[in-house]
Amino acid sequence: MTFLPQLLGILAAVLIIGVVIEMLRRRRMRERHAFWWLGAGLIALIAGIFPSVLDAIAGALGIAVPLNLVFFASAAVLFLVCLQHSSELSEQEERIRTLTEEAALGNERVRVLSERLDALEAGVEKPRSSE
């Protein structure tokens, strides 16, 4: 690997790590999401500083072209990130559904109590409905 591509790889990895840390600092990203990006940034940094490590790992796994290992690892990480987000989205949808139902029940109770109060203030009490 020539010097310029290696330097660009190192700078890109440092930039990724810096952006993720800044997003964590400003509370624009949660720790559990930052884990994947920090891991990817650190691996990219190590591969940029020590490109022979990538060659050795690819050789040990029987992969002829080390760049294929990078593409596979990147796809695997993105798959895991998507899986994590899908799981969290499902949990949030269920939570929103439950909160919506609770809010609707609360609104109905307020409406019934408001009607009873209006009836009492008017001097006519309505019979209670079965709840």
Side-chain angles (χ1 to χ4, degrees):
M1 177 182 276
T2 61
F3 178 71
L4 185 60
Q6 185 176 1
L7 180 64
L8 289 176
I10 292 169
L11 290 176
V14 169
L15 180 68
I16 289 170
I17 293 170
V19 167
V20 171
I21 290 172
E22 182 62 20
M23 289 178 78
L24 281 169
R25 192 181 71 77
R26 292 180 184 221
R27 300 188 188 275
R28 295 192 46 102
M29 181 184 287
R30 298 189 59 172
E31 291 85 6
R32 64 179 174 213
H33 300 290
F35 168 78
W36 295 107
W37 302 117
L38 286 174
L42 287 174
I43 290 171
L45 183 62
I46 292 168
I49 294 172
F50 307 108
S52 60
V53 171
L54 185 60
D55 294 333
I57 293 172
L61 295 174
I63 300 172
V65 181
L67 193 55
N68 288 341
L69 175 62
V70 172
F71 287 136
F72 174 76
S74 299
V77 167
L78 290 175
F79 174 77
L80 292 172
V81 168
C82 287
L83 193 63
Q84 177 187 14
H85 283 271
S86 294
S87 171
E88 291 174 5
L89 180 63
S90 296
E91 290 175 14
Q92 292 302 318
E93 286 174 346
E94 179 64 24
R95 191 165 178 231
I96 288 169
R97 185 189 61 76
T98 302
L99 289 172
T100 302
E101 289 172 356
E102 290 174 0
L105 288 172
N107 288 339
E108 179 62 19
R109 287 184 187 126
V110 168
R111 187 189 63 76
V112 167
L113 290 174
S114 179
E115 286 176 359
R116 285 186 191 164
L117 182 61
D118 291 344
L120 285 174
E121 288 175 350
V124 180
E125 185 170 342
K126 290 185 175 182
R128 287 185 158 186
S129 61
S130 62
E131 296 178 20

